[in-house]
Amino acid sequence: MNEHPLTSLLADHIEEQIERRRAAPISTPVLPQTIRDHLESSFDFRSPLSAESVFSGTTEMLWNWAEHATNPRHYGLTRPTVDRISIVADALTALYDPNLAMWEFAPGATEIERHVLRVLGRKFGFDIDEGFGNFTSGGAEANHTATIVALTAKFPNFAQGGVRQLEGAPTLYVSDEAHHSFDKVALAVGLGRDAIRRVPVGEDLKMDVKRLEALVHQDRSEGRIPFMVVATAGTTGAGVVDPLHSIARVAAECDLWMHVDGAWGGAAALSESLKPVLKGMDEADSLTVDAHKWLSSPVGAGMFYCRHRQPINQAFSTNAGYVPDLADDGRIYPMYTTMQWSRRCTGLKLFMMLAQHGLGGVVRRIEHQAEMGQRLRGELIRTGWSILNETTLPVICFTHHDLRNDAATHRSMVQWLKNNQLAWISSLQLRENQYALRASITNYESNPDDIDHLVSSLNDALKVELRATCAAASRADKADPATQISDEE
Amino acid sequence: MNEHPLTSLLADHIEEQIERRRAAPISTPVLPQTIRDHLESSFDFRSPLSAESVFSGTTEMLWNWAEHATNPRHYGLTRPTVDRISIVADALTALYDPNLAMWEFAPGATEIERHVLRVLGRKFGFDIDEGFGNFTSGGAEANHTATIVALTAKFPNFAQGGVRQLEGAPTLYVSDEAHHSFDKVALAVGLGRDAIRRVPVGEDLKMDVKRLEALVHQDRSEGRIPFMVVATAGTTGAGVVDPLHSIARVAAECDLWMHVDGAWGGAAALSESLKPVLKGMDEADSLTVDAHKWLSSPVGAGMFYCRHRQPINQAFSTNAGYVPDLADDGRIYPMYTTMQWSRRCTGLKLFMMLAQHGLGGVVRRIEHQAEMGQRLRGELIRTGWSILNETTLPVICFTHHDLRNDAATHRSMVQWLKNNQLAWISSLQLRENQYALRASITNYESNPDDIDHLVSSLNDALKVELRATCAAASRADKADPATQISDEE
């Protein structure tokens, strides 16, 4: 029997909190100064507080002052809910505190991560026995790692001499719709943001492969050195997948490292029905998939896969006198193959989830979310909305022909839904001059009722928005002498 | 009442495990294939398993197959034990799953991190209201961030044009005893490993500041561009602190960014009695401190501090159409100021620990560990051992004049202690030709009995080692004809 109050509180609280997710605030209007004042007055760290009061004070802040992506009516920017056993796993990770620098520190945790990476890798088309896989803090670190490894692979002296000794400027290609983490990556690897070529997308928002080819040839003729193309599998905005197979062909012809940023969409490879959208992913040199995006894992749980082993070793090897000797019986030494050094175990939450539900159970959740996406599309169309993106992944960009095609109007719709705690969706600009609302279904608890509720809330928001527009127009009418004259005619 | 079996299991298990830490294996002789076979046969993810069996199967692996740094007789490479409330905090982090990309996603968690960084920053000599502080995955990311920010600050066009457009090769200085994460950093920022100058250390293992100055001038005269010096506050090997104040003077004179890698030792600034060793730390431009090294936080909990705000914004700003608008009422948007993008909340475990124990309670733990270090030194000297390093931090490098001064002998001592589950210590090479044993006390549960037990175990190990040496010598005597002749004389 557990007699300690703090851990009992934790166990009860996890259950209560999972139970009340549907009631969790979708939006919170708090101001920074309110929270700062509260923290300074209640938690100055001068005198010790009871564990119980720290617990209740902390959970209150976490509950009140957050937009809860665990609420099934939160359709925001690819943040899933989290599974009970993955929460338990993160607690065990903290309890045992395995350090994933050296194999000997934590053989169990290290091998558990390898096992997960190996099983999922096979589904993604990456065999880690031949190549490599590791967990990262998130997609940004995984994409960063890919770029370092690509530079190491393509430029023999990169590890030693850096980018200065190269004969031209290394250049990498992403689509206009790619994630902006590559802005940071290009800077962080010393290439500078100028090294990024954003390849235009077609009407379908996918990378225009002909333009990619043309840009590479042009850059090469001007003395730059194209070395990498990043294809996105599930763009953040519209959830489209670049033409992976065609990009792989260009990469092979032009000697580019092909990286797939499947931070979100890559997980579709686990499902036989969704998988066709990723055709060509298994031809890439490296891959990013985030378990915290579509596999219901708490952040951060990035995965990086690479088909080649040699540049990994070359990039991250080092030699420190205080480090114990290495054995060569197949042990894994993450500190010699990853950007991090001492590292927490990230894979345990995925391991326990896969073990409990089976891969089949996890896949059914993804497929359920894709179905909910289809339902949302259908209901929107049925009630007069227009869908603006085409994808089998559950992200829906849409608008209504009664709405003004501008940023302010779409933002105002979003704000009304949030203010009334009805749903968390976002707005964005698609293509040149198209504004849209955006809902992504990445919470496995979102059910048909939630979807129908979203659609009816949207229709309510539309009415409110249109009434406001009419009222404004009528006020303008009365104030405008020209209109008054015309009224008098 | 909590009726759910899994979270009840968790609560009970946390208590049991904290209770039995002293019995946890310090060493495990398992082979990779053993674990792999077990994982493949027991966890193939094909059929779902009960949550309970996943829980017991996982905790068994974590218990059996690890070197437990939570055991107070583990004196290894700066790995602390973890506090109960920090485990609870990591579970809450997973449960609420705040995403620290945008302030609006998680106002509470974002402000909690800021509050911790602000309070600790004042002790470290860094005011985050003027400058900047953030949590990182660990010291490697913090050091990496420092280097990116230094490059951005020193070279106006770095963010846009990278290192290729500079007129000379940027060069950074670390001591021969500095952490090897800078090897990876130099490669990862596109400078290449050649950009690192390792400044020799004196007899005291501290950076020789005169040599630093000479190297900077020499490099500059040869067309390189010295831009950064990294001073270590608590080297991984011998726990020494570079002469921070003198290095700050050189940095100012030679226009270098000064970074202090206080991943471990930086925490000493929290204690009035230990603080003097860090004199000059508050003159640095940036600082790394790892809460998972000396503040009993589970890995990873790195902290990065910077005195300047402008290069942070320049380095990590980006612009993505799918991102909601930013408010300017003092909100913090970590995705625009850090290497990561979506990020887990790292500071909660430190917040709850500081709230429960108070800063004073946390400081008393550090001071206790420093006292245990002194006790170990005293007991070793009393029983005939020699101390080889000088530091007020609790890391002790030592040897015995009866031991052969070679790597194999010191390794064999370490192995005997591990094989007999007596203590986890390591061996290393110090200076040119000095081999040593190394024990660091970073577990707040290590008590005087543990220290005395370590010393008596070391004396046992010494006897065993000397007996083995004598036996080998006597066997060699018998086998060696020359000796046999000499015996016959």
Side-chain angles (χ1 to χ4, degrees):
Chain A
M1 279 300 290
N2 172 24
E3 297 296 335
H4 197 281
L6 185 58
T7 39
S8 294
L9 277 175
L10 173 67
D12 292 347
H13 188 79
I14 292 175
E15 294 309 320
E16 278 163 28
Q17 172 59 14
I18 289 177
E19 195 61 39
R20 66 175 178 166
R21 276 176 179 170
R22 289 189 170 273
I26 285 170
S27 171
T28 167
V30 66
L31 289 171
Q33 203 52 52
T34 311
I35 310 181
R36 288 174 196 175
D37 291 344
H38 175 74
L39 282 164
E40 272 173 49
S41 64
S42 307
F43 300 98
D44 64 6
F45 305 151
R46 280 193 202 118
S47 329
L49 302 173
S50 75
E52 291 82 350
S53 71
V54 175
F55 187 88
S56 63
T58 304
T59 49
E60 239 168 64
M61 289 191 282
L62 292 174
W63 171 265
N64 286 331
W65 292 332
E67 294 175 345
H68 291 264
T70 51
N71 183 321
R73 292 180 177 183
H74 189 288
Y75 305 99
L77 292 175
T78 329
R79 296 167 57 199
T81 191
V82 287
D83 192 34
R84 180 184 283 106
I85 205 161
S86 67
I87 299 161
V88 169
D90 255 358
L92 292 177
T93 300
L95 173 67
Y96 284 93
D97 200 29
N99 184 315
L100 271 64
M102 303 284 296
W103 191 87
E104 290 78 5
F105 288 175
T110 307
E111 291 294 334
I112 284 172
E113 281 204 347
R114 177 183 173 276
H115 185 63
V116 172
L117 289 165
R118 197 158 169 263
V119 172
L120 296 183
R122 271 189 226 123
K123 299 277 174 184
F124 296 143
F126 284 78
D127 174 358
I128 69 159
D129 294 328
E130 299 290 320
F132 176 77
N134 78 301
F135 279 98
T136 65
S137 56
E141 186 190 324
N143 286 340
H144 198 160
T145 304
T147 311
I148 293 169
V149 173
L151 284 163
T152 308
K154 292 295 180 190
F155 304 107
N157 198 32
F158 175 76
Q160 215 51 41
V163 287
R164 273 185 62 78
Q165 35 87 43
L166 305 178
E167 284 173 17
T171 304
L172 70 97
Y173 302 80
V174 304
S175 98
D176 254 346
E177 291 285 312
H179 193 260
H180 286 70
S181 59
F182 281 97
D183 288 354
K184 289 195 203 181
V185 168
L187 168 121
V189 297
L191 296 175
R193 297 197 190 104
D194 290 344
I196 296 189
R197 281 274 177 277
R198 288 212 164 245
V199 184
V201 296
E203 261 304 294
D204 56 3
L205 298 169
K206 296 176 186 184
M207 184 186 282
D208 181 333
V209 182
K210 285 220 170 75
R211 298 290 294 273
L212 166 67
E213 236 175 325
L215 271 171
V216 169
H217 290 305
Q218 187 195 324
D219 284 342
R220 194 159 273 158
S221 74
E222 289 171 7
R224 287 174 162 266
I225 314 182
F227 77 101
M228 183 186 198
V229 58
V230 178
T232 309
T235 57
T236 311
V240 301
V241 178
D242 283 333
L244 305 179
H245 179 64
S246 308
I247 292 172
R249 187 187 45 75
V250 174
E253 281 168 19
C254 300
D255 192 27
L256 305 178
W257 182 279
M258 177 177 170
H259 177 69
V260 172
D261 182 0
W264 168 43
L270 305 179
S271 153
E272 286 306 314
S273 65
L274 294 167
K275 193 178 178 165
V277 72
L278 299 176
K279 188 172 172 290
M281 189 166 91
D282 56 358
E283 298 172 71
D285 295 291
S286 57
L287 170 70
T288 293
V289 181
D290 283 348
H292 61 254
K293 288 228 166 63
W294 212 12
L295 296 177
S296 310
S297 164
V299 281
M303 289 181 274
F304 170 70
Y305 283 97
C306 183
R307 198 168 306 288
H308 321 283
R309 179 83 203 184
Q310 204 267 338
I312 301 281
N313 294 334
Q314 215 189 323
F316 300 114
S317 69
T318 178
N319 176 37
Y322 41 80
V323 165
D325 294 326
L326 313 186
D328 61 354
D329 53 5
R331 294 170 198 224
I332 292 161
Y333 293 96
M335 55 171 276
Y336 293 115
T337 52
T338 60
M339 286 180 67
Q340 295 187 51
W341 194 278
S342 284
R343 177 165 79 71
R344 83 192 296 267
C345 174
T346 293
L348 195 71
K349 48 199 174 190
L350 206 50
F351 171 79
M352 291 182 82
M353 199 193 304
L354 286 164
Q356 187 189 353
H357 305 297
L359 191 53
V362 170
V363 168
R364 270 190 300 282
R365 284 182 175 173
I366 296 181
E367 291 171 347
H368 166 76
Q369 292 163 65
E371 279 162 32
M372 291 303 101
Q374 281 300 17
R375 185 183 184 100
L376 177 56
R377 274 184 206 99
E379 288 301 297
L380 284 171
I381 291 168
R382 200 180 59 75
T383 58
W385 297 75
S386 315
I387 307 296
L388 300 170
N389 65 331
E390 219 175 296
T391 176
T392 52
L393 304 180
V395 60
I396 296 93
C397 298
F398 57 100
T399 191
H400 196 283
H401 61 83
D402 290 341
L403 282 176
R404 254 212 285 250
N405 184 24
D406 61 21
T409 305
H410 287 78
R411 270 183 211 147
S412 143
M413 293 281 292
V414 162
Q415 204 50 56
W416 189 85
L417 291 172
K418 281 191 199 175
N419 289 349
N420 292 283
Q421 303 287 351
L422 294 169
W424 198 107
I425 64 168
S426 57
S427 63
L428 81 169
Q429 185 178 347
L430 277 178
R431 304 183 194 90
E432 283 281 294
N433 190 26
Q434 177 65 62
Y435 293 87
L437 299 171
R438 177 192 182 283
S440 60
I441 294 133
T442 47
N443 188 322
Y444 63 81
E445 289 179 341
S446 302
N447 62 30
D449 277 355
D450 294 313
I451 302 301
D452 297 349
H453 174 267
L454 171 59
V455 176
S456 76
S457 302
L458 279 164
N459 284 314
D460 290 345
L462 180 65
K463 275 180 223 148
V464 171
E465 185 63 36
L466 296 181
R467 267 205 301 273
T469 313
C470 292
S474 130
R475 272 196 308 278
D477 278 356
K478 280 177 194 145
D480 182 349
T483 318
Q484 282 168 13
I485 291 164
S486 131
D487 274 355
E488 281 167 14
E489 275 174 358
Chain B
M1 278 302 291
N2 172 23
E3 297 297 334
H4 198 281
L6 184 58
T7 39
S8 294
L9 276 176
L10 174 66
D12 293 346
H13 188 80
I14 292 175
E15 294 309 320
E16 278 163 28
Q17 172 59 12
I18 288 178
E19 195 60 40
R20 65 175 179 165
R21 276 176 178 170
R22 286 187 173 275
I26 286 171
S27 170
T28 168
V30 65
L31 289 172
Q33 204 52 51
T34 310
I35 311 181
R36 288 173 195 175
D37 290 346
H38 174 74
L39 283 162
E40 272 172 50
S41 63
S42 307
F43 299 98
D44 65 7
F45 305 150
R46 281 194 200 118
S47 329
L49 303 173
S50 74
E52 292 82 350
S53 71
V54 174
F55 187 89
S56 63
T58 304
T59 49
E60 237 168 67
M61 288 190 284
L62 292 174
W63 171 265
N64 287 330
W65 292 330
E67 294 175 345
H68 290 264
T70 52
N71 183 322
R73 294 183 175 181
H74 189 290
Y75 305 98
L77 293 175
T78 327
R79 295 167 58 199
T81 191
V82 288
D83 192 34
R84 180 186 281 104
I85 205 160
S86 67
I87 299 161
V88 169
D90 254 358
L92 292 177
T93 301
L95 173 67
Y96 284 93
D97 202 28
N99 183 315
L100 271 64
M102 303 284 295
W103 191 88
E104 290 77 5
F105 288 175
T110 306
E111 292 293 335
I112 284 172
E113 281 202 348
R114 177 183 173 276
H115 184 62
V116 172
L117 290 164
R118 196 158 169 263
V119 173
L120 296 183
R122 272 190 227 125
K123 299 277 174 185
F124 296 142
F126 283 78
D127 174 358
I128 70 160
D129 294 329
E130 298 292 319
F132 176 78
N134 78 302
F135 280 98
T136 65
S137 56
E141 186 190 324
N143 286 340
H144 198 159
T145 304
T147 311
I148 293 169
V149 173
L151 284 163
T152 308
K154 293 295 178 191
F155 305 107
N157 198 32
F158 175 76
Q160 217 51 40
V163 287
R164 274 184 61 78
Q165 35 88 41
L166 305 178
E167 285 174 16
T171 304
L172 70 98
Y173 302 80
V174 303
S175 97
D176 254 346
E177 290 286 310
H179 193 259
H180 286 70
S181 59
F182 281 96
D183 287 353
K184 288 195 203 182
V185 168
L187 168 122
V189 297
L191 296 175
R193 296 196 191 106
D194 290 345
I196 295 189
R197 282 273 177 275
R198 290 214 162 242
V199 184
V201 294
E203 261 304 293
D204 57 3
L205 298 168
K206 297 178 184 182
M207 183 187 282
D208 181 332
V209 181
K210 288 222 169 73
R211 297 291 294 272
L212 166 66
E213 236 176 324
L215 271 170
V216 169
H217 290 305
Q218 186 194 327
D219 283 344
R220 196 160 271 158
S221 73
E222 288 171 8
R224 288 174 162 265
I225 315 182
F227 77 102
M228 182 185 197
V229 57
V230 178
T232 309
T235 56
T236 310
V240 301
V241 178
D242 284 332
L244 306 178
H245 179 64
S246 307
I247 292 172
R249 186 185 47 75
V250 174
E253 281 169 18
C254 300
D255 192 27
L256 305 178
W257 182 278
M258 177 177 169
H259 177 68
V260 171
D261 181 359
W264 168 43
L270 305 179
S271 154
E272 286 307 314
S273 65
L274 293 167
K275 194 177 176 166
V277 72
L278 299 175
K279 187 168 173 292
M281 189 166 92
D282 55 359
E283 298 172 71
D285 295 291
S286 57
L287 169 70
T288 294
V289 181
D290 283 349
H292 61 254
K293 287 226 165 67
W294 212 12
L295 296 176
S296 309
S297 164
V299 282
M303 289 182 272
F304 170 71
Y305 283 97
C306 182
R307 199 168 305 287
H308 321 283
R309 179 84 203 182
Q310 204 267 341
I312 301 281
N313 294 334
Q314 214 189 325
F316 300 113
S317 69
T318 177
N319 176 38
Y322 41 80
V323 165
D325 294 325
L326 312 186
D328 61 355
D329 53 6
R331 294 169 200 226
I332 293 161
Y333 294 96
M335 56 172 276
Y336 293 115
T337 53
T338 61
M339 286 180 68
Q340 295 186 53
W341 194 278
S342 285
R343 177 166 78 71
R344 81 193 297 267
C345 174
T346 293
L348 196 70
K349 48 197 174 190
L350 206 50
F351 171 79
M352 291 183 82
M353 200 193 305
L354 285 165
Q356 186 189 354
H357 304 297
L359 192 53
V362 169
V363 168
R364 269 192 300 282
R365 284 181 175 173
I366 294 181
E367 291 172 348
H368 165 75
Q369 291 163 64
E371 279 161 33
M372 290 303 102
Q374 281 299 18
R375 184 181 184 102
L376 177 57
R377 274 184 206 100
E379 288 300 298
L380 283 171
I381 291 169
R382 199 179 61 73
T383 57
W385 298 76
S386 316
I387 307 297
L388 300 170
N389 65 330
E390 219 175 298
T391 177
T392 51
L393 303 180
V395 60
I396 295 93
C397 298
F398 57 101
T399 191
H400 197 283
H401 60 82
D402 290 342
L403 282 176
R404 254 211 288 248
N405 184 24
D406 63 21
T409 303
H410 288 78
R411 271 183 211 146
S412 146
M413 293 282 292
V414 162
Q415 204 49 54
W416 189 85
L417 291 172
K418 282 191 197 172
N419 288 350
N420 292 284
Q421 303 287 349
L422 294 169
W424 198 108
I425 64 168
S426 58
S427 64
L428 81 169
Q429 186 178 344
L430 278 178
R431 305 183 193 90
E432 283 283 293
N433 188 27
Q434 177 66 62
Y435 292 87
L437 299 171
R438 177 191 182 284
S440 61
I441 294 134
T442 47
N443 187 321
Y444 64 80
E445 290 179 340
S446 302
N447 62 31
D449 277 354
D450 293 314
I451 302 300
D452 298 349
H453 175 267
L454 171 59
V455 176
S456 76
S457 301
L458 278 163
N459 284 315
D460 290 345
L462 180 65
K463 274 181 224 149
V464 171
E465 186 63 37
L466 295 180
R467 266 206 299 275
T469 314
C470 291
S474 129
R475 271 196 309 278
D477 279 356
K478 281 177 194 147
D480 182 350
T483 317
Q484 283 167 11
I485 290 163
S486 130
D487 274 354
E488 283 167 12
E489 279 173 356

